[in-house]
Amino acid sequence: MKYFECGERVRMAYSQIGSGDIGFIPQAIAAAVRALDAIAEDPRVPEDLKERAALAAANLLMSDHQDD
């Protein structure tokens, strides 16, 4: 996925990280899994979005990408 394919919030955060306005997270995969897990467990989130978040987190955990 490319930067320009993402939504406005992701593009804004990307620009802020690139400009140094906010810090880069070195262990980004672990941070993404934690964020997706929080979405999957949040009772305020619709069930279909919880399922998508859970599947995305599980795929990241099973992928060959690792935080170093």
Side-chain angles (χ1 to χ4, degrees):
M1 180 169 219
K2 302 290 183 192
Y3 162 83
F4 58 85
E5 296 174 302
C6 295
E8 182 65 25
R9 287 180 193 262
V10 171
R11 291 193 314 269
M12 193 178 325
Y14 185 94
S15 294
Q16 290 172 328
I17 292 168
S19 69
D21 289 344
I22 59 175
F24 173 76
I25 300 171
Q27 295 184 327
I29 294 171
V33 170
R34 283 192 296 276
L36 290 164
D37 183 55
I39 293 167
E41 297 302 317
D42 191 328
R44 300 168 294 174
V45 174
E47 286 298 317
D48 64 322
L49 185 54
K50 286 181 177 188
E51 284 298 316
R52 290 179 15 215
L55 287 171
N59 273 288
L60 282 172
L61 288 170
M62 294 182 81
S63 76
D64 58 353
H65 291 87
Q66 294 182 8
D67 286 326
D68 294 323

